[in-house]
Amino acid sequence: MSVFSDRLKEKRKNKGYTQEKISQLLDIGQSAYAKWENGRTEPTLENVVKLANILDVTTDYLLGMVK
């Protein structure tokens, strides 16, 4: 797993969101979102920005640029 996928999963759970809820907020399929958490694919930069806003973190944090 990557830093991104680990942090994505951790922050989603901390916020009490399901994968389904996040995928609805992003207007994507739940399976596409699950692939991000499993490290199989990566989101677009646009979706990284949306995820950061939803999870109340910075894009740098999600991408592993800061601790």
Side-chain angles (χ1 to χ4, degrees):
M1 295 259 262
S2 68
V3 170
F4 171 78
S5 59
D6 289 342
R7 288 184 175 183
L8 181 61
K9 186 174 188 176
E10 174 189 358
K11 290 299 175 184
R12 175 183 61 78
K13 287 183 174 185
N14 287 347
K15 287 290 216 175
Y17 288 128
T18 62
Q19 287 185 353
E20 183 66 30
K21 179 62 177 175
I22 297 283
S23 64
Q24 288 172 355
L25 293 171
L26 296 173
D27 196 28
I28 62 169
Q30 186 271 329
S31 62
Y33 178 82
K35 288 178 184 176
W36 299 346
E37 281 196 5
N38 293 327
R40 294 177 58 204
T41 61
E42 295 179 351
T44 63
L45 181 56
E46 179 183 356
N47 280 328
V48 171
V49 171
K50 289 178 182 179
L51 284 165
N53 288 328
I54 291 167
L55 300 172
D56 295 322
V57 295
T58 65
T59 54
D60 285 349
Y61 176 82
L62 278 181
L63 297 172
M65 308 286 269
V66 295
K67 290 186 178 187

